[in-house]
Amino acid sequence: MSIVWKIIYLILSYLFGAIPFSYIVGKLMANIDIRRTGSGNVGSTNLFRSVGTKGALIAFILDAGKGFLVVSLAKTTKTPIQFLFLSGLLCVLGHIFTPYLNFKGGKGVATSFGIILGISPLIALILLIIFSIVFAASRIVSLSSISSALALVPLNLIMNQKLSFYMAFLTILILFTHRENIKRLLKGAERRLI
């Protein structure tokens, strides 16, 4: 892949990642603007509270699918793994800062899971297990997401994926999008999902 095509692919990764599926699903299933219900976040957790399990699951799969597809297509070009992750990272940034909704999107967890699944299915599986254990114990999605994000760099080092810098950046990004949740967690005021 030439440098020009790489640049084009990275731009398209951002624009594709920016598609706000939770917003679209909310409109199609319940004719609601998810930005004006619940927490106002354009993500599957808020969609669960506003529309229900089916809508949230559809949105999660579509958001994760964005990241997975971007990385999987990049794989076919036999580019270095760093390019795979960079294209996936831009997909996540598109999800968080979507130009289609005035640069206010979701928190990037589902899309991040998708890119990790595309790069290292084993790490993705372990993260899913960590998320499930923390959620079963707490019933708090944000705490489960944060716990999984914090495991990214250690898992990458153990698996020797040579992506520690990128994983650290992704972890910081997830922590940034959850900054208000972290404040509520520290105060013991974060809402449980069910």
Side-chain angles (χ1 to χ4, degrees):
M1 182 185 287
S2 70
I3 185 65
V4 173
W5 278 110
K6 283 183 179 179
I7 292 171
I8 291 173
Y9 191 83
L10 292 175
I11 293 171
L12 291 176
S13 296
Y14 172 82
L15 294 174
F16 181 60
I19 299 173
F21 283 119
S22 289
Y23 175 83
I24 294 169
V25 171
K27 278 289 186 181
L28 292 177
M29 291 189 69
N31 196 30
I32 63 167
D33 184 339
I34 193 172
R35 297 171 297 175
R36 291 172 172 76
T37 62
S39 66
N41 181 256
V42 186
S44 53
T45 301
N46 191 35
L47 195 62
F48 173 83
R49 294 191 176 105
S50 305
V51 176
T53 304
K54 183 179 178 181
L57 185 60
I58 291 171
F60 180 88
I61 291 171
L62 290 172
D63 283 337
K66 291 188 295 192
F68 182 79
L69 185 60
V70 162
V71 169
S72 297
L73 287 176
K75 269 186 180 180
T76 64
T77 64
K78 295 181 171 57
T79 52
I81 192 171
Q82 288 81 3
F83 180 79
L84 300 185
F85 198 90
L86 183 58
S87 61
L89 185 60
L90 280 166
C91 184
V92 175
L93 286 170
H95 177 82
I96 297 170
F97 305 106
T98 171
Y100 310 129
L101 295 176
N102 297 317
F103 297 96
K104 295 180 181 179
K107 296 185 177 178
V109 175
T111 308
S112 296
F113 178 76
I115 69 170
I116 294 167
L117 181 63
I119 292 173
S120 176
L122 181 56
I123 289 180
L125 175 61
I126 296 171
L127 291 176
L128 186 60
I129 291 171
I130 292 171
F131 181 97
S132 300
I133 291 171
V134 176
F135 182 74
S138 67
R139 298 295 176 183
I140 300 175
V141 174
S142 61
L143 180 61
S144 308
S145 300
I146 291 166
S147 300
S148 300
L150 290 173
L152 272 174
V153 173
L155 285 172
N156 179 73
L157 291 171
I158 293 169
M159 303 292 179
N160 194 28
Q161 287 284 351
K162 299 178 181 178
L163 286 171
S164 295
F165 172 80
Y166 297 94
M167 291 294 188
F169 187 87
L170 187 58
T171 298
I172 292 169
L173 187 61
I174 295 298
L175 293 177
F176 172 77
T177 61
H178 284 81
R179 60 194 182 279
E180 295 300 323
N181 302 87
I182 292 171
K183 290 178 184 177
R184 290 193 293 270
L185 284 167
L186 292 173
K187 293 177 182 177
E190 183 73 324
R191 290 178 62 187
R192 298 178 189 274
L193 185 63
I194 51 177

